[in-house]
Amino acid sequence: MDFGIVLQADPPASEVVRLMADAENAGFRYGWTFDSCVLWQEPFVIYSAILAATSSLVVGPMVTSPGTRDWSVMASTFATLNDMYGNRTVCGIGRGDSAHRVVGNPPSTLATVRECMRQVKDLAEGREVTLNDTAVRIPWIRGGRLEMWMAGYGPKALKLAGEHADGFILQCADPAIARWTIGSVREAARAAGRDPSGITICVAAPGYVGDDVAHQREQLRWFGGMVGNHVADLVARYGDSGPVPRELTDYIREREGYDYAHHGRAGNPSTDFVPDEIVDRFCLLGQASAHIARLEELVELGVDQFALYLMHDRREETLAHYGTQIIPKLTA
């Protein structure tokens, strides 16, 4: 199993760079950031500094969206970083949540996500595409490579990931939900004539190593609220008795709204509806042994990478525990 770290691009950017370098030294192979440039700083500027401060860390957004940047700009940005630092980027992409909603836009359609994945990948790898009825190719790219990893929860998104994406990102560490989503992605890949094992599976969730589980729950409850935004969209589309597992949908019945001013932050007041059970299922809490047990269960389900959201009051300690006690066990 590979490991990634997920951070918000809070100022100062030098702190993000420092934590990413520490993560690489601890055995993490991927460095991800949120991409919501009203709420946080512009991540692609920071990626250049992270790549310069590390030797092999692969960096990218978790996740960007088709609606935040011109696609030629997105492709050229990835390609420039790859040209400078040796193909060390990956593009996590989804329909868009906070980056869209804080500026009054809805999430992108899945058809738009599909087309964006194809066009950005082709452009970033030096192939010609058609944009606005115009043939476009970035002429200076030589040997560029960009994998597109798609995030999603619903049946149509999972089908699209299986048919077109290089990787699948599940932002939730519940084994029951992982089993359903991974199975759906792989079945879609098989039906499309693709090798399911060629799709990288990434589970992303907060982790907090320590004794005080009650305190950890309060620090990580924000994550259930963040996932709940996407689940609310699914319930609106499919109803609460549709194809989406009840493990994912039941808990949002008490959800009354969401304030993006506190998005992804410990103590988010918009997450009172998230029960302890959801925090325990969606996140990794307790001593290192509990984290190892959950991660081993995810490995059995076919997960290739665990990406650790590190947004709580003991980031340094949890990072150190992963480096000394957890990563060695899962990479042996």
Side-chain angles (χ1 to χ4, degrees):
M1 176 180 261
D2 281 337
F3 285 83
I5 184 174
V6 190
L7 300 174
Q8 294 162 337
D10 283 315
S14 58
E15 231 352 61
V16 179
V17 175
R18 181 187 69 81
L19 281 168
M20 289 289 188
D22 288 348
E24 181 182 58
N25 291 332
F28 290 82
R29 293 191 58 233
Y30 285 75
W32 304 92
T33 71
F34 283 31
D35 180 13
S36 191
C37 54
V38 171
L39 298 179
W40 296 285
Q41 293 186 327
E42 170 54 43
F44 285 89
V45 176
I46 302 172
Y47 293 157
S48 191
I50 294 169
L51 289 164
T54 56
S55 61
S56 60
L57 197 72
V58 177
V59 304
M62 189 176 281
V63 295
T64 194
S65 74
T68 51
R69 291 176 178 80
D70 178 272
W71 297 353
S72 64
V73 174
M74 189 189 302
S76 182
T77 303
F78 277 112
T80 300
L81 292 171
N82 283 338
D83 187 67
M84 293 172 67
Y85 298 104
N87 286 335
R88 289 169 55 200
T89 68
V90 60
C91 180
I93 191 167
R95 294 179 60 215
D97 180 34
S98 65
H100 285 224
R101 286 173 163 136
V102 297
V103 295
N105 292 328
S108 300
T109 66
L110 288 174
T112 302
V113 174
R114 180 185 65 237
E115 188 64 11
C116 180
M117 286 198 297
R118 184 185 69 80
Q119 299 241 19
V120 170
K121 181 180 179 69
D122 282 350
L123 278 172
E125 294 184 345
R127 293 183 291 276
E128 182 179 289
V129 305
T130 300
L131 289 173
N132 303 315
D133 298 320
T134 302
V136 178
R137 178 179 168 273
I138 302 176
W140 47 264
I141 294 176
R142 299 290 184 274
R145 185 179 72 250
L146 180 65
E147 291 192 354
M148 307 296 291
W149 293 15
M150 182 181 163
Y153 298 96
K156 292 182 179 179
L158 301 175
K159 182 174 184 289
L160 178 59
E163 291 173 343
H164 296 283
D166 299 305
F168 166 60
I169 298 171
L170 171 63
Q171 292 165 306
C172 176
D174 184 328
I177 295 169
R179 183 178 297 105
W180 175 71
T181 55
I182 294 169
S184 298
V185 168
R186 288 178 167 167
E187 180 54 38
R190 279 189 288 269
R194 303 181 71 198
D195 178 4
S197 66
I199 301 173
T200 303
I201 306 295
C202 173
V203 163
Y208 192 131
V209 180
D211 293 318
D212 190 347
V213 172
H215 177 71
Q216 293 175 34
R217 287 178 180 137
E218 293 311 311
Q219 286 287 303
L220 303 185
R221 201 173 303 277
W222 64 265
F223 185 67
M226 187 182 82
V227 173
N229 296 330
H230 303 285
V231 176
D233 288 343
L234 293 176
V235 170
R237 177 181 292 271
Y238 297 105
D240 57 10
S241 60
V244 182
R246 299 183 72 88
E247 289 92 342
L248 194 56
T249 60
D250 280 354
Y251 82 99
I252 69 160
R253 288 175 180 166
E254 303 301 321
R255 181 180 184 269
E256 296 181 352
Y258 192 84
D259 182 355
Y260 280 92
H262 308 283
H263 188 58
R265 300 188 184 280
N268 185 338
S270 299
T271 60
D272 291 344
F273 68 94
V274 180
D276 289 349
E277 177 196 359
I278 288 294
V279 181
D280 294 350
R281 282 171 32 205
F282 285 16
C283 306
L284 277 69
L285 301 86
Q287 291 291 348
S289 58
H291 290 239
I292 292 168
R294 174 73 66 84
L295 291 169
E296 288 176 338
E297 191 173 359
L298 293 172
V299 168
E300 288 296 315
L301 295 174
V303 175
D304 301 297
Q305 179 185 149
F306 176 66
L308 172 68
Y309 281 97
L310 206 57
M311 295 95 179
H312 54 68
D313 60 359
R314 295 192 66 182
R315 298 190 303 178
E316 307 275 358
E317 293 88 344
T318 293
L319 185 62
H321 281 300
Y322 264 76
T324 59
Q325 300 179 55
I326 297 172
I327 292 177
K329 289 285 188 181
L330 274 297
T331 57

